[in-house]
Amino acid sequence: MGNRGMEDLIPLINKLQDAFSSIGQSCNLDLPQIAVVGGQSAGKSSVLENFVGRDFLPRGSGIVTRRPLILQLCFNKAEYAEFLHCKGRKFVDFDEVRSEIEAETDRITGSNKGISPIPINLRVYSPNVLNLTLIDLPGMTKVAVGDQPLDIEHQIRDMLLQFITKESCLILAVTPANQDLANSDALKIAKEVDPQGLRTIGVITKLDLMDEGTDAKDILENKLLPLRRGYIGVVNRSQKDIDGKKDIRAALAAERKFFLSHPAYRHMAERMGTPHLQKQLNQQLTNHIRDTLPGLRSKLQSQLLSLEKEVEEYKNFKPDDPTRKTKALLQMVQQFGVDFEKRIEGSGDQVDTAELSGGAKINRIFHERFPFELVKIVFDEKELRREISHAIKNVHGVRTGLFTPDLAFEAIVKKQIIKLKEPCIKCIDLVIQELINTVRQCTGKLGSYPRLREETERIVTTYVREREGKTKDQVMLLIDIELSYINTNHEDFIGFANAQQRNPQNKKRAIPNQVIRKGWLTLNISIMKGGSKEFWFVLTAESLSWYKDEEEKEKKYMLPLDNLKLRDVEKGFMSTKHIFGIFNTESRNVYKDLRQIDLACDTQEDVDSWKASFLRAGVYPEKDQVDTEDTAPSESFSMDPQLERQVETIRNLVDSYTGIVNKSVRDLMPKTIMHLMINSAKDFIHSELLAYLYSSGDQNSLMEESVDQAQRRDELLRMYHALKEALHIIGDITTTTVTVPVPPPVNDSWMQEASPTPQRRPPATSAPAPSRPPAVRGPTPGPPINPSPAFGVPPIPSRPGPPPMNAFGSNNLQDPFSAPPLIPSRPARIPPGVPSRRPPGAPHRPTIIRPAEPSLLD
C-alpha cells in the first residue's frame, strides 16, 4: 500500500461505520469524489494510481483513457476487484483488471482512438482503502484523430463537467511541467466550476522531463500564477519503468531522491511528491469528516433523548416480576378506558383526519341516517290515502257514515307508528357496529400483551352485545307506549277543525332562502350532452343551484324544489362514485330535456349526508311502489265527495300526529342509546373490566409479553447503548484529528487573462519590446548572454533594466495584478535574491518554463 495517510484514517472511519451499523443506520459521511482533469498524457492515470497504491490502469502515449473510469474503493478484509459489467466475477490479479479495462473500452469505442461518455464502473475491495470514489477521465484535446468525432473537444469538456461540477468532488488539475501553465486547460475548466478555488489542487507532473537548466520553482512556490491551494509536484514512473514492472514503492523512493537532489526543489522537498499529495487529499477527507460530524452528533443526541424515557423503564426490567405485571395491567386497563372515552366524547389530541370514527360517526347516525330512515317509511301519498279509504269503509261496514270515524284515524296512526320499529332497530345496529369498531381500535395499544388484548376485546364486546338486547327492548317499549294511547289533546295536534281546512300540498317549508348545504357534486350527463362534470352545489329551502366553482359567481342553473323527490341509482360497472337521482313527480323535465338528474359523491356517507340535507329542505325519497298506478283506481279514489272529504280530514290528522310521534322518537332514540348502551359501556370499562380480567384466568398468562415486544425491548436497549458508543467514537475522532483551515484567497485572475487566447496576448503599451509567443521549446531570439544562475534562462538583450511593470508587462492600474498581492513574495517576476542586473523575462509570458539552448551556453 502506497498511501500511508489513508491508512491512518481507515481505523477511525471503520469504528464510526461499525457504530452506525450496530444501530441499523448508514453513517452518511458521503466522502468526496476525487477526479483528475488535464490534457492527454499529462499523467492523470499515474497520479490516481499512486493514490490507490496499486498498478492497474492502462498506460501509454496518446489518448489511452477513452471512457470515464468510476473507481469505487470499498474497505474489505479480502482484496479483489469487480466490474459492474462482469457481475459475480472477482479479479484478484490487477494485471487482469488492466486488461479488462482495455477490452471494455475497445468494446464500446473501437480500437481506433474513439471515445465514449459511458463510464466503466470498477470496485476495488481492500483492507487498505477508504470508501472513496476516484474518477479517471479522458484527457482534453483539440484535434480529432482516428475515429474521434470532429467536436471531440466539446464532447470531452461536457464529459468532464458532468463529474467535476459536483460540490463533493475534489479536482486535481494535472499539468505537465514541460507545457506552458498559462495555457492549462485543466486549470481553466477547474476555475469555471470552482471559482473560489476551494476544491482545486494543482498537480505538476513530469518535472524530471523538463529541459536541462529549467525548473518550475516559481510555480511550485505559488509565486507565479497562484492557486488558492497551491501546486504539488510529482514524478511518476516513465513508460520504460512501467514496461519494466517497476514497483510503486521503488518509484516513490526514486521520486523522493529526485526532489532531495535537485537544487531548485530540495528546500521544499517535504512539500513535494506523491506522499505529500496523498497527505493533502487525506487532510481534505479529514476536514470533510469533521465538518460532517456535528450534524451526525446532533442527530444521535436527539435520538438518544427520545429513547431515554423508554429505556429508563426497561433498565431494571424483570419480565417475570408479579409486581411489574400487576402495575402494567392496571395501567393498560386505565389507558384503555381513557382512550375509549376520548373516542366517544371527542378530544383535541390524536384527532383522526382520514375518516369519521367513534362519537362523530355515532352522532352522524343519530342526526342524519336515522331521520332519513324515518322519512323514507312515512311519506307515500297514494298508499296512505288508499289505506285511509279502506279503514273508513271498514269502520262503517254496511252503513253509510255521516261523520268521520275516530277508529279509522287511530287504526291508520297505529299502523304508521308500528313502521317506526324497523328504522329504530337499524339505528341501534349501526351504533353497535361503531362501538365494537371503537373497542377494537382502542385495544390496539394493548398489542404488547396479546392475551390481554384478546380478553379485553372479548369481555367488552360481550357486554356491548348484552346491552344491545336491553336497548332494543327499551326502544320497542317506547314504540308500544306510543301505540297504547293516542293523545289527541297534544298541544301540537291540529284537531278535526283545522284538519278540514288544511291543504298538505301547500305546507310551508323552512325559512325561504335559508342555505341548508353547500358542496361539490358530480353532475352525471351523457357524453352527447356534455359528459360528467363537477359543480359547486348550493341547497336552500326553496331551490338547488349549481355554480362553476365555490366563488359562486357563474351560476349554471337553478332548480326549484317543488314536486321533487330523491331516488337511489345503482353505480356503473366501472364507476367508483356513489349516485342518487332527483326527479319531478309530475313527469316534467328537471334539467334541460332530462326527466332526472344523477348526482355523484365519492362515498356512501356523503350520499347519506346530502339526502338528509334534502329532507330538511322538504325533498323526500321515493318509496318503492308495489302496486301500479292503475291498480283498482275506483278503490283508490272514491267518487263519493263525502268520503273524499273524510279521507282528506284523516290524512291531515295522521300527518299531524305522526309528525308529533316522529319528533318524539327522534329525540328519545339518541337518549335511550346513550343511556343504556354507550354510557353503560363506559361505566363498565372504568369500574368492572378489571375484575372481569382478574376472574378470566391466570394473571401471569394474561400479562405474558408478545415475542415482538420482547424483541423490541432488547432492540431498544441495544440501540441506546450503540448510540452512546457512536457519540463516544465521534468524540474520539474529533479529538484525534485536526482541521486545517482553508488557505486565504489568492489573486488567480491570471486564468481569465491568459485562458481566452492562450497563444496570443495584447500588445503592452508601456513595453517597447515586441511580444513573443510562449513557446515550450525552441531558440530564444537575441544574442547569447550568460544565463541567470537562478533560472538558467537567457534574458532578452533589448531590455537593459527592469521597467516598473507588473507581471503582464503593463503598468495599467486596471490590471488585476496592479493591486497589492495577497501573497507577499509575488509582486514581480524576479524572485528575491536574484541579482539586480538580470533583466526580467518575457513580461507577457506567464510561464515558468524557460528553455535553455545548449548552443548558446557552450
Side-chain angles (χ1 to χ4, degrees):
M1 178 66 189
N3 191 343
R4 185 66 202 168
M6 184 183 286
E7 290 175 352
D8 295 337
L9 264 183
I10 288 172
L12 296 174
I13 303 303
N14 288 342
K15 285 171 68 178
L16 195 60
Q17 297 280 13
D18 291 343
F20 273 82
S21 298
S22 65
I23 58 177
Q25 297 182 9
S26 60
C27 189
N28 291 329
L29 281 176
D30 191 22
L31 294 179
Q33 297 177 342
I34 300 172
V36 287
V37 296
Q40 288 182 12
S41 300
K44 301 183 301 301
S45 296
S46 296
V47 169
L48 206 59
E49 215 170 51
N50 286 343
F51 186 65
V52 180
R54 275 287 185 175
D55 185 6
F56 64 96
L57 293 175
R59 235 69 82 63
S61 59
I63 184 166
V64 178
T65 306
R66 293 181 284 136
R67 288 175 61 184
L69 176 70
I70 300 177
L71 173 62
Q72 291 176 286
L73 304 180
C74 303
F75 176 83
N76 192 53
K77 292 182 179 179
E79 189 169 36
Y80 61 92
E82 282 183 345
F83 286 93
L84 188 62
H85 62 272
C86 298
K87 289 183 178 178
R89 183 181 173 188
K90 295 182 179 180
F91 293 80
V92 180
D93 185 355
F94 280 82
D95 288 336
E96 293 183 12
V97 174
R98 182 190 301 109
S99 301
E100 181 60 31
I101 293 174
E102 293 172 347
E104 178 64 13
T105 300
D106 291 343
R107 187 178 68 82
I108 298 294
T109 63
S111 57
N112 194 17
K113 306 298 182 184
I115 67 163
S116 171
I118 302 173
I120 298 174
N121 288 272
L122 171 63
R123 282 187 178 179
V124 174
Y125 297 85
S126 171
N128 304 315
V129 298
L130 281 177
N131 294 326
L132 281 178
T133 301
L134 310 175
I135 305 170
D136 191 19
L137 296 166
M140 289 178 281
T141 185
K142 298 183 183 298
V143 180
V145 297
D147 292 336
Q148 294 176 356
L150 296 177
D151 62 341
I152 180 73
E153 179 182 2
H154 299 293
Q155 284 194 21
I156 293 181
R157 174 185 170 82
D158 293 341
M159 196 187 305
L160 300 186
L161 290 174
Q162 179 182 346
F163 294 96
I164 66 174
T165 47
K166 298 175 183 176
E167 289 297 323
S168 62
C169 182
L170 295 176
I171 305 169
L172 299 185
V174 180
T175 306
N178 53 7
Q179 174 187 329
D180 191 343
L181 190 68
N183 297 332
S184 172
D185 291 327
L187 291 174
K188 179 182 176 183
I189 197 170
K191 177 71 174 178
E192 290 179 18
V193 298
D194 181 30
Q196 302 298 320
L198 294 174
R199 52 192 179 93
T200 303
I201 298 176
V203 180
I204 306 297
T205 60
K206 303 188 180 182
L207 290 168
D208 55 330
L209 300 182
M210 293 181 70
D211 290 342
E212 187 178 350
T214 62
D215 59 56
K217 179 181 175 182
D218 276 3
I219 290 296
L220 295 178
E221 289 180 345
N222 212 30
K223 294 178 181 177
L224 187 65
L225 313 180
L227 284 178
R228 187 166 189 170
R229 293 194 178 276
Y231 298 87
I232 298 174
V234 298
V235 176
N236 297 321
R237 292 175 296 170
S238 65
Q239 191 62 43
K240 180 181 177 182
D241 294 335
I242 295 169
D243 294 339
K245 304 293 184 183
K246 186 174 182 179
D247 184 64
I248 286 185
R249 285 188 175 84
L252 292 176
E255 180 187 54
R256 173 81 173 160
K257 181 179 178 182
F258 171 82
F259 283 113
L260 288 173
S261 60
H262 198 288
Y265 309 133
R266 76 168 55 118
H267 67 287
M268 52 179 169
E270 297 302 321
R271 293 182 284 112
M272 293 293 113
T274 300
H276 184 68
L277 174 59
Q278 293 171 350
K279 182 180 176 183
Q280 289 294 311
L281 291 174
N282 281 304
Q283 186 58 57
Q284 294 307 308
L285 299 181
T286 304
N287 285 0
H288 178 85
I289 292 166
R290 287 177 61 89
D291 290 344
T292 310
L293 290 184
L296 290 176
R297 181 190 285 112
S298 175
K299 177 182 173 184
L300 294 181
Q301 286 174 339
S302 64
Q303 286 182 318
L304 196 65
L305 287 173
S306 66
L307 292 179
E308 276 190 346
K309 185 177 180 181
E310 286 186 84
V311 169
E312 193 64 34
E313 179 185 343
Y314 290 141
K315 276 184 178 178
N316 302 314
F317 186 82
K318 297 177 182 178
D320 299 324
D321 184 6
T323 305
R324 182 201 65 80
K325 289 187 175 182
T326 303
K327 180 181 177 182
L329 177 60
L330 292 172
Q331 288 176 340
M332 290 288 182
V333 172
Q334 185 180 12
Q335 185 62 45
F336 173 74
V338 170
D339 289 344
F340 183 81
E341 188 162 355
K342 281 184 177 180
R343 282 186 173 271
I344 297 297
E345 301 295 337
S347 171
D349 57 342
Q350 300 177 352
V351 177
D352 186 358
T353 58
E355 61 177 359
L356 293 179
S357 62
K361 207 161 189 176
I362 292 173
N363 177 276
R364 192 169 192 172
I365 293 169
F366 286 159
H367 301 297
E368 290 185 3
R369 288 293 300 273
F370 181 56
F372 180 71
E373 295 294 331
L374 287 181
V375 175
K376 268 181 25 177
I377 64 162
V378 172
F379 289 91
D380 185 353
E381 196 67 31
K382 291 181 181 179
E383 179 71 19
L384 186 57
R385 286 179 177 274
R386 184 162 53 245
E387 290 177 357
I388 294 171
S389 174
H390 291 165
I392 292 173
K393 291 177 180 179
N394 289 334
V395 167
H396 288 307
V398 296
R399 298 181 300 278
T400 302
L402 299 176
F403 303 101
T404 304
D406 292 350
L407 292 176
F409 164 70
E410 285 198 15
I412 297 299
V413 163
K414 286 181 178 180
K415 187 172 182 180
Q416 296 300 319
I417 293 175
I418 289 173
K419 291 180 181 179
L420 297 178
K421 290 185 177 182
E422 184 181 345
C424 289
I425 296 297
K426 186 174 182 179
C427 176
I428 294 173
D429 290 337
L430 291 172
V431 173
I432 287 287
Q433 188 59 46
E434 186 55 35
L435 269 183
I436 292 175
N437 288 340
T438 303
V439 170
R440 191 172 292 118
Q441 290 168 350
C442 293
T443 54
K445 291 187 178 181
L446 309 180
S448 303
Y449 304 96
R451 180 110 167 83
L452 175 64
R453 174 179 179 175
E454 181 183 331
E455 279 299 305
T456 302
E457 192 171 321
R458 182 187 65 80
I459 291 170
V460 177
T461 303
T462 303
Y463 180 80
V464 169
R465 289 296 182 188
E466 290 175 1
R467 301 306 298 177
E468 174 188 5
K470 294 183 179 180
T471 306
K472 286 182 178 178
D473 290 343
Q474 182 64 31
V475 169
M476 292 302 101
L477 182 61
L478 288 177
I479 304 298
D480 291 340
I481 289 171
E482 292 288 352
L483 289 170
S484 65
Y485 180 68
I486 307 300
N487 181 17
T488 55
N489 287 327
H490 194 283
E491 59 183 1
D492 294 331
F493 188 58
I494 60 172
F496 277 90
N498 293 329
Q500 292 174 349
Q501 301 173 1
R502 187 180 178 195
N503 185 359
Q505 300 297 330
N506 296 326
K507 291 186 295 182
K508 291 186 178 179
R509 287 193 180 92
I511 306 168
N513 298 324
Q514 176 190 6
V515 176
I516 296 174
R517 178 160 185 165
K518 296 182 179 182
W520 290 98
L521 286 173
T522 301
L523 182 63
N524 284 348
I525 305 176
S526 65
I527 298 177
M528 300 296 293
K529 297 178 181 177
S532 300
K533 290 183 181 178
E534 271 199 326
F535 294 102
W536 179 258
F537 280 76
V538 178
L539 175 64
T540 68
E542 293 186 344
S543 65
L544 176 67
S545 306
W546 55 92
Y547 300 82
K548 181 181 179 182
D549 50 42
E550 60 265 34
E551 294 182 2
E552 300 181 15
K553 292 182 179 178
E554 186 178 338
K555 182 183 285 189
K556 295 294 184 180
Y557 196 74
M558 186 181 77
L559 176 64
L561 299 183
D562 294 329
N563 301 317
L564 294 185
K565 280 200 173 184
L566 303 177
R567 174 182 290 162
D568 290 328
V569 179
E570 291 186 5
K571 63 180 182 179
F573 176 68
M574 297 296 290
S575 174
T576 59
K577 300 263 188 181
H578 298 264
I579 308 171
F580 66 97
I582 300 176
F583 67 98
N584 192 296
T585 56
E586 298 181 355
S587 300
R588 295 179 180 176
N589 291 340
V590 178
Y591 174 59
K592 296 184 178 178
D593 58 345
L594 299 174
R595 295 291 178 90
Q596 174 177 315
I597 58 172
D598 293 340
L599 302 176
C601 304
D602 291 330
T603 64
Q604 184 61 44
E605 288 184 353
D606 290 338
V607 171
D608 294 339
S609 183
W610 271 100
K611 285 181 178 179
S613 299
F614 274 105
L615 287 182
R616 291 176 56 197
V619 179
Y620 300 104
E622 171 193 34
K623 182 171 176 62
D624 296 333
Q625 296 291 335
V626 179
D627 301 322
T628 58
E629 292 183 4
D630 57 351
T631 301
S634 59
E635 293 181 5
S636 297
F637 297 100
S638 172
M639 298 302 291
D640 182 1
Q642 183 180 357
L643 178 61
E644 193 62 39
R645 284 195 300 272
Q646 292 176 350
V647 168
E648 184 64 29
T649 300
I650 292 180
R651 168 70 184 87
N652 293 341
L653 292 172
V654 169
D655 187 27
S656 174
Y657 197 81
T658 52
I660 294 171
V661 175
N662 280 352
K663 185 177 180 182
S664 176
V665 170
R666 279 204 307 268
D667 181 58
L668 287 174
M669 270 292 292
K671 295 176 180 178
T672 304
I673 293 174
M674 282 297 298
H675 176 68
L676 293 177
M677 187 181 299
I678 297 176
N679 290 343
S680 179
K682 288 194 296 184
D683 293 340
F684 173 80
I685 290 171
H686 283 298
S687 60
E688 298 184 48
L689 174 59
L690 190 60
Y692 274 84
L693 286 170
Y694 273 124
S695 63
S696 65
D698 181 22
Q699 181 187 345
N700 288 330
S701 63
L702 199 64
M703 295 305 294
E704 187 175 336
E705 262 190 325
S706 67
V707 176
D708 292 341
Q709 176 65 13
Q711 288 179 347
R712 182 181 177 277
R713 185 182 66 251
D714 295 340
E715 181 71 19
L716 199 67
L717 291 171
R718 189 186 61 77
M719 175 89 67
Y720 178 78
H721 293 301
L723 284 170
K724 294 186 75 172
E725 177 66 16
L727 285 170
H728 179 68
I729 292 172
I730 287 178
D732 286 347
I733 294 178
T734 306
T735 55
T736 56
T737 57
V738 179
T739 298
V740 175
V742 179
V746 297
N747 193 341
D748 56 2
S749 56
W750 59 271
M751 280 192 266
Q752 285 93 339
E753 294 288 334
S755 55
T757 54
Q759 299 300 328
R760 296 184 181 180
R761 58 175 187 186
T765 55
S766 61
S771 62
R772 182 179 67 177
V776 175
R777 295 183 179 84
T780 302
I785 295 179
N786 290 334
S788 169
F791 289 91
V793 179
I796 299 173
S798 60
R799 298 174 193 166
M805 300 179 188
N806 58 27
F808 285 85
S810 170
N811 57 5
N812 188 353
L813 293 177
Q814 299 300 319
D815 188 87
F817 283 159
S818 62
L822 295 176
I823 299 177
S825 59
R826 197 198 152 280
R829 288 185 52 84
I830 302 175
V834 177
S836 59
R837 64 181 179 82
R838 175 185 175 277
H844 286 292
R845 195 181 78 179
T847 177
I848 49 82
I849 298 140
R850 295 183 171 81
E853 299 180 27
S855 60
L856 297 177
L857 296 173
D858 290 338

